Amino acid sequence: MHLAYPAVLAVLLFCTGLYGVLARRNAILVLMSVELMLNAVNLNLVAFDVWLRDALHAGQALTLFTIAIAAAEIGIGLAIVLAVYRNRGSSDVDRLRDTAETDDAETLPDDADAARDSPADQATAPAGKAKKAEATA
């Protein structure tokens, strides 16, 4: 068996998975793309194991470990996706950035906002509040 055939197939699978990870917004499709990339690696491991005629079949043994890790990754990943979908109503990867915690140093206290304003802004602020009160009355 030529090594080129499974290697080219593995490259095509890996590139398809990489495109899926980079281009998709749905978290489930991203997980499926990662699984496709892992299967490309598994194909390479088995192909090189057969090509090198390893007596211990280390490539095939490593493939079994990779399959077990991929199954655990998919199980945990789907649990996280389902939890996010229940809380957010969408499994869009771009909307997951909203769940990130913000640092307290990024938010300015109210006193800092007032100190940051120029004196001209502070002088016109009471006049603006008075106009707003007149408009609502």
Side-chain angles (χ1 to χ4, degrees), residues 23-77:
R24 300 291 177 203
R25 293 185 182 184
N26 190 350
I28 295 174
L29 292 177
V30 170
L31 287 174
M32 289 174 59
S33 298
V34 169
E35 188 72 25
L36 198 61
M37 292 167 63
L38 286 173
N39 285 332
V41 171
N42 288 340
L43 180 62
N44 267 335
L45 285 171
V46 171
F48 276 98
D49 183 49
V50 170
W51 184 63
L52 293 173
R53 296 187 179 110
D54 186 18
L56 295 176
H57 299 292
Q60 293 179 17
L62 191 57
T63 299
L64 289 176
F65 286 117
T66 307
I67 290 171
I69 289 171
E73 175 254 334
I74 289 295
I76 292 171

Side-chain angles (χ1 to χ4, degrees), residues 3-16:
L3 186 61
Y5 298 129
V8 168
L9 180 61
V11 166
L12 290 174
L13 283 174
F14 192 86
C15 289
T16 304

Side-chain angles (χ1 to χ4, degrees), residues 41-110:
V41 171
N42 288 340
L43 180 62
N44 267 335
L45 285 171
V46 171
F48 276 98
D49 183 49
V50 170
W51 184 63
L52 293 173
R53 296 187 179 110
D54 186 18
L56 295 176
H57 299 292
Q60 293 179 17
L62 191 57
T63 299
L64 289 176
F65 286 117
T66 307
I67 290 171
I69 289 171
E73 175 254 334
I74 289 295
I76 292 171
L78 283 177
I80 292 171
V81 168
L82 286 174
V84 167
Y85 183 76
R86 285 182 184 167
N87 288 337
R88 297 281 178 174
S90 173
S91 62
D92 190 11
V93 175
D94 291 336
R95 295 182 72 192
L96 290 179
R97 293 181 185 160
D98 297 339
T99 61
E101 293 183 17
T102 58
D103 190 18
D104 291 338
E106 292 177 6
T107 59
L108 295 173
D110 294 331

